[in-house]
């Protein structure tokens, strides 16, 4: 069963609950750029800690939906590989641009980037407007690039690095997991159609 997106989401939420009772976990798991050489495991552990309920719920919402779609489109091994590879690559953006980061958004953007290549016509809603995921990726990337020039509490570089990692993975996987072909229309000869009408409608 392909349920690793659900298991991973459950693990992240469980860690968040531990954060609520043991706040020191946040500091121990977060990605601190000055400590990454001495404690390299932080490039993965920071994925499991979040700053609050809104932060974790928005990330889990995206992970559950798009993670499940990617895992169903490919398989569990591919999904986990894309997620954790994107987590590591997004950490490079964190290290280069920020002193301290937490959250799974970089890895999730990797999942989105991969899915945008493999299934570009996946429907998403952005600012209340439905559109294909391939267009959504360009919008999110543009917003994150703008965010690089107007710093806030969002790790925009992490999103961009993670997204790039996912896109590269998607390009490599595209031949192995091609889009399903559209079913051919069944053409019924006119003579058979007339016979069917005479039989059932007594024409």
């Amino acid at each position: 069963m392909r349920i690793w997106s659900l298991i991973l989401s459950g693990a992240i939420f469980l860690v968040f609950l531990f954060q609520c009772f043991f706040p020191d976990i946040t500091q121990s798991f977060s990605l601190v750029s000055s400590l990454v050489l001495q404690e390299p495991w932080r490039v993965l552990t920071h994925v499991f800690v979040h700053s609050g309920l809104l932060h974790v719920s928005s990330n889990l919402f995206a992970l559950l939906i798009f993670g499940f779609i990617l895992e169903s489109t490919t398989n569990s091994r591919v999904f986990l590989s894309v997620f954790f590879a994107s987590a590591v690559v997004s950490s490079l953006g964190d290290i280069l641009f920020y002193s301290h980061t937490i959250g799974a958004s970089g890895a999730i953007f990797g999942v989105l980037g991969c899915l945008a290549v493999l299934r570009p016509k996946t429907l998403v809603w952005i600012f209340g407007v439905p559109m294909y995921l391939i267009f959504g990726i360009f919008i999110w990337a543009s917003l994150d690039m703008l965010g690089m020039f107007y710093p806030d509490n969002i790790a925009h570089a992490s999103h961009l690095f993670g997204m790039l990692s996912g896109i590269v993975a998607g390009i490599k996987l595209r031949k192995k997991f091609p889009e399903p072909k559209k079913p051919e229309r069944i053409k019924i000869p006119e003579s058979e159609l007339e016979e069917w009408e005479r039989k059932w409608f007594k024409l």
Side-chain angles (χ1 to χ4, degrees):
M1 295 178 65
R2 298 177 179 180
I3 59 172
W4 275 100
S5 54
L6 179 61
I7 293 173
L8 197 55
S9 298
I12 291 173
F13 186 71
L14 185 62
V15 172
F16 176 71
L17 291 179
F18 272 99
Q19 283 182 261
C20 295
F21 294 100
F22 307 101
D24 289 344
I25 291 177
T26 305
Q27 186 62 32
S28 299
F29 280 22
S30 61
L31 180 59
V32 181
S33 298
S34 61
L35 297 177
V36 72
L37 291 179
Q38 298 96 319
E39 301 174 355
W41 58 83
R42 289 177 180 266
V43 299
L44 289 179
T45 57
H46 82 282
V47 169
F48 293 89
V49 289
H50 290 78
S51 61
L53 184 59
L54 179 61
H55 189 199
V56 71
S57 59
S58 59
N59 275 352
L60 290 183
F61 178 77
L63 179 57
L64 282 169
I65 293 177
F66 298 107
F68 176 78
I69 295 173
L70 180 61
E71 189 174 8
S72 299
T73 299
T74 57
N75 55 53
S76 297
R77 182 182 61 81
V78 168
F79 162 69
L80 290 172
S81 297
V82 170
F83 181 86
F84 285 110
S86 297
V88 173
V89 173
S90 68
S91 295
L92 297 178
D94 292 327
I95 294 167
L96 290 172
F97 291 93
Y98 313 111
S99 60
H100 179 279
T101 52
I102 56 176
S105 56
I108 293 170
F109 268 91
V111 170
L112 286 167
C114 184
L115 191 59
V117 176
L118 295 180
R119 298 294 183 269
K121 292 184 178 180
T122 299
L123 191 65
V124 296
W125 290 75
I126 300 180
F127 305 123
V129 179
M131 65 184 69
Y132 289 144
L133 179 57
I134 189 66
F135 299 131
I137 283 293
F138 283 110
I139 292 176
W140 285 322
S142 299
L143 291 174
D144 278 318
M145 283 189 283
L146 286 174
M148 295 290 293
F149 298 97
Y150 300 95
D152 51 22
N153 291 325
I154 299 174
H156 297 286
S158 178
H159 295 176
L160 292 169
F161 275 68
M163 188 186 300
L164 180 61
S165 174
I167 290 172
V168 171
I171 293 171
K172 291 183 177 180
L173 293 166
R174 192 166 175 80
K175 288 185 178 180
K176 188 174 181 181
F177 301 100
E179 286 193 85
K181 294 181 180 179
K182 292 183 178 180
E184 295 183 1
R185 289 187 176 183
I186 301 174
K187 295 183 179 180
I188 304 175
E190 189 175 347
S191 58
E192 290 186 14
L193 183 58
E194 290 176 352
E195 178 63 28
W196 183 84
E197 288 177 340
R198 282 195 298 270
K199 180 178 180 181
W200 293 103
F201 293 96
K202 308 297 183 181
L203 297 177

